[in-house]
Amino acid sequence: MSSYRPYQHIERRKSRQIHVGKVAVGGDAPISVQTMTNTLTSDAQATIEQIRLAELAGVDIVRVSCPDEASTAALAEIVHEVNVPIVADIHFHYKRAIEAAKAGAACLRINPGNIGSAERVREVVNAAKDYGCSIRIGVNAGSLEKHLLEKYGEPNPEALVESALEHAKILEDHDFHEFKISVKASDVFMAVAAYQQLADCCDHPLHIGITEAGSKRAGTVKSSIGLGNLLWAGVGDTMRVSLSAAPEEEVLVGWDILKSLGLRHRGVKIISCPSCARQGFNVVETVQTLEDRLQHIKTPLTLSIIGCVVNGPGEALMTDIGVTGGGNGRHMVYAAGRQDHTMPAGDMIEHIVELVEKKVSDIEAGKVEASTAKQMDPAAS
């Protein structure tokens, strides 16, 4: 992240870059947002529909579970019908991994040590090489190897890291390096400590997440604490917010975390006050309505919605469009930090939506104009 405000600068950990299909992970690539379907993968149509909803929310990568042959058989149709790379979640049966690779999975989520014999691991790695798959080593505090539990007595950061490095060595011994690692735990302290330790001792790209974080509200809070801590420290190349909620909700929260840290920008970022007796309009209802009305916008833009003049003008200084509650049924609209015009309370929602869509149109037109000028005069760049 680059910024003219030094206190906003995040120095990302330097990791090697791999690819999950068309999505670059690690290196200087943007931090990607991932989710996982909860439909039966064998029900291709239901899974495709769920992935398309996640795509509308801005997902970069989607993982699907492949516990049986019916699931890997459906994978070819799923991969063909969606626009994002698909990760096949494989736990124990090596044949499912080979089938998924043949079906077009962009990545296999496995633990090499759980796949079985050295020969089976070799077959999976060869399939990944043959079909251009990357691999995610997925270590979880809830399923650590017996020898590590005996060694450490309980799941802890050191055990998670040791497990990850053992699995990584298996792949490296097979001359396979196109992999990323995750060391997830439902305990925020354990997960953050494990990722920090792993980040210090290897350069593999890291997929970060707080596993089994909980419901939409509680899980969002828990994930924001854990993932926010790691991302602020520069750790993390791809991420998933694990919620007991619809996959698209995970995606939206993931984007909100990244936008809050200035690591990625997508859609309208609304800065709004919590509301109080000073408000000139119903802030809570207005913000909820605007979030729904503006969710189709992908172009980055900031919008402040402040109920009164105490903080409104100051927030408007730092947003593309600002609204501050006023008296006599009229509210002040700011453009690029400056007072621009007033609007009647009754037309507020429609007026703001029109302003945002017009601003987005101008931004996109400017991009086209700049691109055209660059093509006509390459020396200008």
Side-chain angles (χ1 to χ4, degrees):
M1 166 185 169
S2 61
S3 173
Y4 62 89
R5 300 183 181 97
Y7 59 84
Q8 292 180 335
H9 181 69
I10 292 177
E11 188 70 34
R12 283 184 63 189
R13 162 183 172 265
K14 291 179 173 58
S15 61
R16 71 176 68 174
Q17 188 172 98
I18 68 165
H19 283 81
V20 177
K22 62 186 177 183
V23 177
V25 173
D28 59 357
I31 297 163
S32 53
V33 177
Q34 184 171 313
T35 189
M36 185 174 184
T37 55
N38 54 31
T39 52
L40 287 174
T41 307
S42 55
D43 186 344
Q45 195 53 46
T47 304
I48 290 165
E49 289 174 5
Q50 198 169 71
I51 293 171
R52 286 176 177 165
L53 288 174
E55 289 176 344
L56 289 173
V59 77
D60 296 302
I61 300 168
V62 174
R63 178 160 56 114
V64 303
S65 185
C66 291
D68 48 42
E69 196 170 353
S71 296
T72 54
L75 201 57
E77 180 183 353
I78 294 168
V79 168
H80 184 265
E81 293 297 323
V82 301
N83 298 305
V84 291
I86 300 299
V87 178
D89 192 66
I90 312 293
H91 279 281
F92 300 111
H93 207 299
Y94 80 104
K95 284 188 177 179
R96 302 293 85 80
I98 296 170
E99 291 161 3
K102 290 180 179 178
C107 180
L108 307 174
R109 189 272 194 191
I110 63 170
N111 278 353
N114 293 343
I115 289 294
S117 67
E119 178 55 34
R120 289 180 174 180
V121 173
R122 185 178 299 108
E123 287 188 48
V124 171
V125 171
N126 286 341
K129 289 179 178 178
D130 291 344
Y131 294 96
C133 292
S134 54
I135 286 176
R136 169 154 79 93
I137 294 171
V139 176
N140 194 302
S143 55
L144 277 169
E145 295 84 355
K146 184 179 178 181
H147 74 279
L148 291 174
L149 289 175
E150 290 175 352
K151 177 178 179 179
Y152 290 100
E154 63 176 5
N156 62 18
E158 290 73 23
L160 288 168
V161 171
E162 188 168 331
S163 174
L165 294 177
E166 286 180 359
H167 292 306
K169 187 175 187 305
I170 293 172
L171 294 183
E172 290 173 325
D173 286 347
H174 285 83
D175 195 27
F176 190 89
H177 306 280
E178 192 79 358
F179 65 89
K180 55 183 176 176
I181 304 177
S182 63
V183 282
K184 294 185 179 181
S186 60
D187 178 89
V188 175
F189 297 96
M190 188 189 306
V192 170
Y195 276 113
Q196 288 172 335
Q197 291 179 28
L198 187 60
D200 288 340
C201 66
C202 74
D203 69 347
H204 303 300
L206 301 182
H207 170 83
I208 61 174
I210 307 299
T211 193
E212 294 140 8
S215 65
K216 180 179 175 180
R217 185 183 69 184
T220 293
V221 172
K222 197 172 181 180
S223 294
S224 297
I225 293 169
L227 299 183
N229 189 308
L230 290 168
L231 292 167
W232 201 330
V235 175
D237 302 291
T238 179
M239 60 182 280
R240 179 194 175 189
V241 178
S242 297
L243 303 176
S244 299
E248 63 266 26
E249 295 293 344
E250 295 186 347
V251 178
L252 293 172
V253 174
W255 271 100
D256 283 341
I257 291 172
L258 291 174
K259 287 194 289 188
S260 295
L261 291 169
L263 289 166
R264 284 189 75 179
H265 305 280
R266 182 185 191 274
V268 180
K269 179 180 178 181
I270 299 179
I271 290 88
S272 61
C273 67
S275 80
C276 70
R278 295 191 305 267
Q279 65 183 4
F281 57 90
N282 189 321
V283 173
V284 173
E285 185 178 290
T286 299
V287 170
Q288 289 175 341
T289 303
L290 286 171
E291 281 188 337
D292 290 338
R293 292 288 301 275
L294 299 173
Q295 64 179 338
H296 64 287
I297 292 174
K298 299 180 177 63
T299 303
L301 184 141
T302 52
L303 169 66
S304 57
I305 305 292
I306 310 297
C308 75
V309 297
V310 173
N311 293 322
E315 291 294 348
L317 285 172
M318 297 180 283
T319 54
D320 297 306
I321 299 171
V323 175
T324 297
N328 301 317
R330 297 193 71 84
H331 310 306
M332 179 60 69
V333 177
Y334 295 78
R338 296 178 180 274
Q339 288 188 3
D340 194 74
H341 62 277
T342 62
M343 64 177 173
D347 299 335
M348 186 175 183
I349 297 295
E350 295 302 326
H351 190 70
I352 294 172
V353 171
E354 286 179 13
L355 288 173
V356 170
E357 290 181 337
K358 174 65 166 59
K359 180 68 175 178
V360 167
S361 178
D362 291 345
I363 291 171
E364 293 303 321
K367 289 180 181 177
V368 171
E369 187 177 326
S371 176
T372 302
K374 183 177 178 181
Q375 289 175 6
M376 293 179 66
D377 184 14
S381 61

